[in-house]
Amino acid sequence: MDKETLSNYGWVVICVLVLVVMIALATPFGKYIAEAVKNTTSSLFTVSQKALNTGLGQAAQVTVKDVEDIVYNTVS
């Protein structure tokens, strides 16, 4: 095999992978992924706030403002 054949094969693989991801995210599985990202982000912010309040509260009596609900826009 020469370099050009491998290059063309690589582009075909990349295109197939991109199409698979696009199809997967366009299905109800995509909504599941979106919910997982929302929950993970919300949990991360909550845990970070608790850690900062604990650390800063002991060191300098500082508290971090509560995180408001995160609003996500998704295309449906």
Side-chain angles (χ1 to χ4, degrees):
M1 286 184 150
D2 60 344
K3 255 182 157 177
E4 190 173 329
T5 304
L6 289 174
S7 178
N8 290 338
Y9 177 73
W11 279 111
V12 169
V13 170
I14 289 171
C15 290
V16 168
L17 291 174
V18 168
L19 286 172
V20 166
V21 169
M22 289 174 61
I23 290 170
L25 295 179
T27 60
F29 179 66
K31 292 187 184 218
Y32 173 78
I33 292 173
E35 284 298 317
V37 169
K38 289 178 192 177
N39 292 336
T40 302
T41 307
S42 178
S43 298
L44 174 67
F45 287 161
T46 303
V47 169
S48 297
Q49 179 197 10
K50 288 180 183 178
L52 285 171
N53 280 336
T54 301
L56 292 176
Q58 292 174 356
Q61 288 74 37
V62 176
T63 58
V64 178
K65 182 181 174 192
D66 288 338
V67 177
E68 299 169 358
D69 287 339
I70 303 169
V71 179
Y72 293 92
N73 293 325
T74 56
V75 178
S76 311

